[in-house]
Amino acid sequence: GSAFHGTHVASTVAGRVPRNLRGVASGASLIPMQVFSLFPAVYASCGGSPCVRTYETDQMYALERVTFLAAYHDIAAVNMSLGGGYFTANCDDYSPGYTALVTNLRSIGVATVIASGNDSYTDGIAFPACISTAITVGATNDLDAIASFSNQADGLVELMAPGVGIEAATIPGRRATEESSGTSM
């Protein structure tokens, strides 16, 4: 579920224990933002059972909050391990307000880093990763090849990073870990 996903991604960044699984920035501090909601089973995207999804407006409120907090904290980046859709070009006009928030964060020195998506697209990526002022990340495997699931599109993915079989914290348990794969990782 989403609690696992957020815990795993946060641990990949800032995990401190166990020592052999420290995050890539284990000295970093995180400011979590909750943008997910429980959707009832009647939503088509839930497939007949209640599911966890996110509203674009909640994502935008979180980006506004980061903009406000950047005046009081040294914020290097926003991580957005979410998204959907299929975009073969930059999508700045898809949601101009959303694009403006990402662009504004960039102008104040806060990178908005967004997962490209896990739909195996070879010529498209998800929204909001398709926003031109975002830093879009795809996944590689242990051989530094593009992971089979990683969305790709010429000129739309700025960064590649390990995303297959990443071991990091999981729930429940203080020191529990689990492997996961995805452009979020």
Side-chain angles (χ1 to χ4, degrees), residues 3-40:
F4 160 78
H5 186 266
T7 298
H8 196 276
V9 171
S11 171
T12 302
V13 173
R16 292 182 176 90
V17 291
R19 212 166 179 67
N20 66 324
L21 290 177
R22 285 192 171 190
V24 295
S26 62
S29 297
L30 303 179
I31 302 171
M33 299 279 171
Q34 171 56 282
V35 297
F36 288 90
S37 300
L38 182 62
F39 280 50

Side-chain angles (χ1 to χ4, degrees), residues 126-142:
F127 175 85
C130 53
I131 294 173
S132 66
T133 50
I135 298 172
T136 304
V137 181
T140 61
N141 62 26
D142 287 343

Side-chain angles (χ1 to χ4, degrees), residues 139-148 160-166:
T140 61
N141 62 26
D142 287 343
L143 301 175
D144 286 335
I146 296 171
S148 61
M160 299 298 292
V164 176
I166 305 301

Side-chain angles (χ1 to χ4, degrees), residues 13-14 92 120 158 163:
V13 173
D92 294 356
S120 304
E158 286 83 20

Side-chain angles (χ1 to χ4, degrees), residues 72-138:
Y72 303 96
H73 300 279
D74 184 16
I75 299 175
V78 172
N79 171 69
M80 299 185 76
S81 294
L82 50 77
Y86 174 71
F87 294 84
T88 59
N90 284 324
C91 61
D92 294 356
D93 294 337
Y94 177 74
S95 179
Y98 205 123
T99 298
L101 290 165
V102 172
T103 301
N104 185 55
L105 282 167
R106 185 177 185 136
S107 76
I108 63 172
V110 178
T112 304
V113 183
I114 308 176
S116 67
N118 303 318
D119 300 298
S120 304
Y121 300 147
T122 58
D123 62 350
I125 60 175
F127 175 85
C130 53
I131 294 173
S132 66
T133 50
I135 298 172
T136 304
V137 181

